């Protein structure tokens, strides 16, 4: 059976996702942060109250000192009253330390609890995602979210609320007190703030656009580095190192001039702004001003001293707040990444799962698209009978892996259905599906542990004899016995396998799991003639009584299979046995001829 070979079309570009404006993104980030922090909201509020009380207690020494001065400067000195004031000052300091310490302890416990909750949520969610999601999303992204992003939240949950509360309540309380003494003193205490605010506002204008430009610059530099490094062998061989450097150099130079144009004027402004908050300037203004106020008879010298003490605290607060705002921004973008991961659609599970009858696999009018616009499989219909091996062949990108992984439901079909034992895979409970469908894919995952443990993953209760039998059938037993330690050799330490060998270990695992349906992606890059023969033997063993679908990259390993299906451009263009297809003189015969030519 031969159908017309369709023209291979290049995959259409992914539809552009609507890009958020910085403001929309910031809003989403804030919402994500609020949603993630919900489980520890009560604890955070409690800690904020404790921190606020602690900050108020921290005001006692300021007021107490002024009080003390009044008592000492107005004879006769009342020893009892002075002692009481001293005790109040000490108590205020002690209470402040106690309350702030308690607040931080509460938030640290909350942080530990929140991290555990989030890790559990992420793990549970990952367990429900389609397996195909994992091949598209490198483990790097999962790791970033599960480790870094959760850790980024630490500062916010454990420190931010408490420290910000303390940083705000102390100066605001102090300022209110100063205003209560005299409104002119209050104004004097915040006299330098308007300069700082104006300078800061000037520095921050166009901040988001500049940050976007900066990120674009970084991306350009990274791209240039990647390009340079990935082509380094060719570049060196052809003596083009200098020219290749040029792309990187121009990206780096552009970035350098952009950055210095942006930052240089800012440094001057920043210096002026910092001066407005620096201790000497604040002290000079407060002292000068309050001495003049005293001379005018508006305030007493003691009130003036109180103002100076409190005015000196305000700048540290402003600085703490700007650091805090930065920490909050970092945590908010981490929170959004976590929420996005948690919102990745799960694989829908049937409410009333059905049990397949038998292990016949049927693809019925299957269409599939990764991006929702371009089909990479068009109307595929195929039946895999139990006890037979079906091999998929075709050029790279023809859809072999996509088709094969639809059987263990790595993705759901866009149209049509994949059925096992007459039941749509979407109607089969996931556990039942994995009991029935095993798979050995190209990127074999061997876990750190002994060889025996790795094979035993297929069936945790298997006996040693069963493990040996599986390894023999997978043609890997001899190789294992040659390892120092044999089956107890640890993968990655005593046991260093080639790609083909690792694949045979995972075939042994699949054999032990004994699933009636098996999807196998044959390893290619590593297949030396010896492994090839071994894989062929392993394949025949596997097939006995099973429904096997194998993605074949080398035609020689599949000459004996029951049926060969030739895919091209996401369509079946031919199918039959090796003999039938060779005689048909079509697509497969041409591939075979090329292969033979290559072999000679
Ligand atoms: P083969 O296994 O025959 O090499 P694939 O099934 O890997 O072919 O790929 C078929 C088509 O689907 C190709 O055009 C490929 O670019 C595209 N494709 C494969 N995997 C993905 C993916 N995760 N996301 C988007 N497109 C993909």
């Amino acid at each position: 059976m031969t159908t017309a070979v369709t023209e291979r079309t290049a995959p259409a570009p992914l539809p552009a996702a609507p890009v958020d404006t910085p403001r929309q993104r910031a809003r989403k980030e804030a919402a994500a942060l609020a949603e993630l922090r919900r489980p520890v909201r009560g604890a955070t509020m409690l800690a904020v109250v404790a921190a606020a009380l602690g900050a108020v207690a921290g005001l006692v020494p300021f007021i107490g000192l002024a009080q003390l001065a009044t008592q000492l400067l107005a004879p006769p000195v009342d020893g009892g009253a002075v002692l009481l004031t001293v005790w109040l000052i000490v108590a205020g300091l002690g209470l402040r330390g106690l309350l702030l310490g308690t607040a931080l302890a509460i938030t640290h416990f909350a942080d530990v609890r929140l991290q555990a909750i989030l890790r559990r949520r992420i793990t549970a969610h990952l367990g429900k995602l389609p397996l195909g999601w994992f091949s598209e999303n490198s483990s790097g992204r999962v790791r970033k979210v599960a480790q870094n992003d959760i850790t980024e939240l630490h500062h916010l949950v454990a420190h931010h609320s408490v420290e910000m509360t303390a940083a705000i309540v102390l100066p605001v309380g102090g300022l209110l007190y100063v205003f209560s003494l005299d409104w002119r003193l209050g104004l004097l205490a915040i006299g330098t703030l308007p300069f700082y605010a104006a300078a800061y506002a000037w520095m921050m204008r166009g901040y988001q656009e500049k940050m976007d430009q900066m990120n674009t610059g970084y991306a350009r530099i990274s791209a240039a580095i990647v390009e340079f490094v990935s082509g380094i062998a060719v570049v060196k061989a052809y003596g083009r190192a200098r020219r290749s450097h040029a792309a990187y150099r121009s990206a780096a130079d552009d970035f350098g001039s952009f950055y210095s144009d942006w930052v240089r004027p800012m440094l001057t402004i920043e210096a002026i702004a910092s001066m407005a908050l620096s201790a000497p300037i604040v002290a000079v203004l407060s002292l000068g001003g309050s001495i003049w106020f005293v001379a005018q008879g508006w305030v007493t010298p003691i009130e003036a001293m109180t103002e100076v003490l409190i005015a000196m605290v305000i700048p540290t607060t402003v600085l703490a707040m700007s650091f805090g705002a930065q920490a909050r921004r970092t945590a908010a973008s981490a929170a959004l990444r976590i929420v996005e991961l948690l919102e990745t659609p799960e694989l829908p599970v049937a409410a009333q799962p059905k049990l397949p009858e038998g292990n016949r696999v049927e693809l019925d009018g299957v269409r599939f698209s990764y991006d929702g616009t371009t089909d990479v499989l068009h109307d595929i219909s195929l039946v895999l009978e139990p006890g037979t091996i079906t091999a998929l062949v075709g050029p790279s990108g023809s859809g072999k892996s996509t088709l094969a992984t639809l059987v263990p439901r790595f993705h759901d079909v866009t149209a049509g259905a994949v059925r096992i034992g007459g039941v749509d895979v979407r109607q089969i409970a996931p556990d039942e599906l994995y009991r029935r469908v095993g798979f050995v894919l190209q990127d074999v995952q061997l876990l750190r542990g002994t060889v025996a443990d790795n094979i035993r993953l297929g069936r945790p209760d298997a006996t040693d004899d069963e493990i040996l039998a599986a390894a023999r059938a997978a043609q890997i037993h001899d190789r294992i016995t040659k390892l120092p330690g044999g089956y107890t050799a640890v993968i990655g330490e005593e046991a260093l396998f080639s790609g083909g060998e690792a694949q045979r270990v995972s075939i042994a695992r699949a054999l032990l799991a004994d699933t009636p349906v098996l999807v196998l992606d044959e390893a290619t890059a590593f297949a030396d003639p010896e492994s090839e023969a071994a894989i062929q033997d392993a394949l025949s063993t596997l097939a006995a009584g099973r429904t096997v679908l194998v993605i074949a990259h080398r035609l020689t390993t599949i000459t004996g299979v029951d049926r060969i299906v030739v895919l091209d451009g996401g369509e079946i263009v031919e199918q039959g046995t090796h003999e039938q297809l060779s005689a048909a003189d079509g697509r497969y015969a041409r591939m075979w001829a090329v292969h033979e030519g290559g072999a000679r």
Side-chain angles (χ1 to χ4, degrees):
M1 187 185 77
T2 311
T3 43
V5 177
T6 50
E7 276 294 316
R8 292 284 306 285
T9 47
L14 290 174
V19 178
D20 289 336
T21 63
R23 194 180 297 260
Q24 282 169 326
R25 183 146 186 98
R27 208 172 301 137
K28 274 189 187 173
E29 288 178 347
L33 194 57
E35 120 87 2
L36 290 190
R37 291 182 79 180
R38 195 167 304 137
V40 293
R41 208 165 51 179
T44 308
M45 254 137 68
L46 189 65
V48 164
V49 172
L53 292 176
V56 171
L59 272 178
V60 173
F62 288 98
I63 301 166
L65 280 177
Q67 184 68 25
L68 200 60
T70 320
Q71 289 166 339
L72 291 175
L73 291 176
V77 173
D78 177 351
V82 168
L83 201 62
L84 181 68
T85 314
V86 170
W87 275 117
L88 276 177
I89 293 174
V90 173
L93 283 174
L95 196 62
R96 173 180 176 274
L98 188 72
L99 285 168
L100 286 185
T102 309
L104 281 175
I106 294 174
T107 49
H108 273 79
F109 279 118
D111 178 50
V112 172
R113 195 157 60 84
L114 184 65
Q115 294 207 16
I117 292 175
L118 289 180
R119 290 217 161 85
R120 261 202 307 276
R121 270 180 75 184
I122 290 175
T123 317
H125 187 70
L126 288 178
K128 291 182 193 151
L129 292 181
L131 289 177
W133 183 87
F134 293 92
S135 24
E136 286 159 36
N137 290 272
S138 58
S139 53
R141 180 172 162 208
V142 177
R143 189 159 4 143
K144 178 158 172 40
V145 170
Q147 291 179 354
N148 308 8
D149 287 344
I150 290 189
T151 316
E152 297 272 16
L153 289 183
H154 164 83
H155 184 84
L156 193 84
V157 175
H159 297 267
H160 183 82
S161 311
V162 169
E163 287 167 7
M164 282 303 103
T165 308
I168 292 168
V169 172
L170 177 67
V172 169
L175 210 55
L176 286 178
Y177 180 68
V178 175
F179 267 107
S180 77
L181 295 178
D182 188 280
W183 63 271
R184 287 162 291 211
L185 272 187
L187 289 182
L188 185 63
I190 49 171
T192 61
L193 280 190
F195 293 101
Y196 179 79
Y200 190 80
W202 197 81
M203 275 198 305
M204 293 310 272
R205 77 201 193 296
Y207 178 80
Q208 197 57 49
E209 289 79 48
K210 292 287 184 191
M211 281 310 281
D212 289 347
Q213 263 171 289
M214 193 162 105
N215 289 335
T216 317
Y218 273 141
R220 241 187 92 203
I221 294 180
S222 313
I225 293 177
V226 169
E227 193 182 322
F228 178 63
V229 171
S230 57
I232 193 129
V234 183
V235 165
K236 283 202 150 183
Y238 293 98
R240 288 293 182 88
R242 197 173 290 274
R243 183 184 294 190
S244 266
H245 255 134
Y248 168 69
R249 245 202 335 258
S250 107
D253 287 349
D254 288 353
F255 183 75
S257 42
F258 154 75
Y259 194 74
S260 65
D261 287 351
W262 177 31
V263 168
R264 204 177 302 127
M266 252 174 29
L267 287 179
T268 323
I269 307 289
E270 166 130 51
I272 295 173
S274 319
M275 253 167 57
L277 290 187
S278 67
I281 299 287
V282 174
V284 165
L285 183 78
S286 280
L287 279 172
S290 55
I291 288 171
W292 187 64
F293 286 3
V294 173
Q296 296 297 309
W298 293 340
V299 298
T300 66
I302 302 296
E303 287 169 343
M305 278 320 292
T306 314
E307 185 276 335
V308 175
L309 285 178
I310 286 176
M312 301 290 284
V313 186
I314 295 174
T316 50
T317 304
V318 176
L319 295 180
M321 277 168 65
S322 76
F323 282 129
Q326 183 57 41
R328 193 185 159 83
R329 271 198 291 274
T330 315
S333 37
L336 185 58
R337 281 190 295 271
I338 298 175
V339 166
E340 280 171 349
L341 177 67
L342 288 172
E343 283 175 354
T344 311
E346 296 178 357
L347 194 67
V349 175
Q352 250 121 36
K354 294 190 189 129
L355 215 54
E357 282 175 29
N359 298 301
R360 188 168 182 265
V361 175
E362 187 188 355
L363 291 104
D364 182 5
V366 166
R367 284 180 178 279
F368 180 75
S369 157
Y370 282 101
D371 58 11
T373 52
T374 323
D375 281 355
V376 297
L377 294 175
H378 316 272
D379 201 18
I380 302 272
S381 291
L382 189 66
V383 174
L384 315 175
E385 295 291 349
T388 65
I389 304 184
T390 304
L392 290 175
V393 299
S396 164
S398 56
K400 304 182 293 291
S401 314
T402 307
L403 176 56
T405 49
L406 287 181
V407 179
R409 213 183 159 199
F410 271 44
H411 296 280
D412 276 339
V413 295
T414 311
V418 177
R419 295 188 199 99
I420 296 176
V423 178
D424 193 315
V425 287
R426 286 167 291 193
Q427 300 296 324
I428 304 175
D431 289 355
E432 179 61 28
L433 183 66
Y434 298 129
R435 261 198 296 281
R436 283 177 183 263
V437 186
F439 42 89
V440 178
L441 300 180
Q442 284 241 10
D443 49 342
V444 170
Q445 298 285 331
L446 294 184
L447 308 180
R448 207 173 182 78
T450 66
V451 176
D453 286 345
N454 265 277
I455 299 177
R456 195 176 266 120
L457 272 183
R459 180 148 50 88
D461 59 355
T463 65
D464 288 350
D465 284 345
E466 285 170 324
I467 290 177
L468 244 64
R472 277 210 186 86
Q475 305 289 322
I476 190 68
H477 172 74
D478 290 347
R479 174 76 179 90
I480 296 173
T481 50
K482 287 200 196 95
L483 295 171
Y487 280 85
T488 58
V490 173
I491 305 256
E493 290 174 13
E494 300 103 321
L496 299 168
F497 288 125
S498 73
E501 289 164 350
Q503 209 188 26
R504 276 179 279 149
V505 172
S506 68
I507 290 178
R509 183 194 285 168
L511 273 176
L512 196 65
D514 202 20
T515 53
V517 180
L518 191 68
V519 173
L520 183 69
D521 193 343
E522 175 202 66
T524 47
F526 329 97
D528 46 281
E530 203 179 318
S531 317
E532 201 170 283
I535 289 175
Q536 204 166 4
D537 287 349
L539 260 182
S540 344
T541 317
L542 272 178
R546 264 182 255 272
T547 315
V548 180
L549 180 63
V550 52
I551 302 171
H553 301 278
R554 316 195 110 206
L555 301 183
T556 40
T557 53
I558 52 156
T559 48
V561 304
D562 300 283
R563 189 165 40 156
I564 296 170
V565 173
V566 184
L567 278 185
D568 196 3
E571 291 190 48
I572 298 180
V573 291
E574 259 187 337
Q575 50 181 311
T577 61
H578 173 70
E579 284 72 27
Q580 288 165 347
L581 293 180
S582 301
D585 203 19
R587 181 95 188 171
Y588 179 81
R590 284 202 295 281
M591 284 165 66
W592 183 256
V594 171
H595 172 81
E596 288 287 274
R600 252 198 303 272

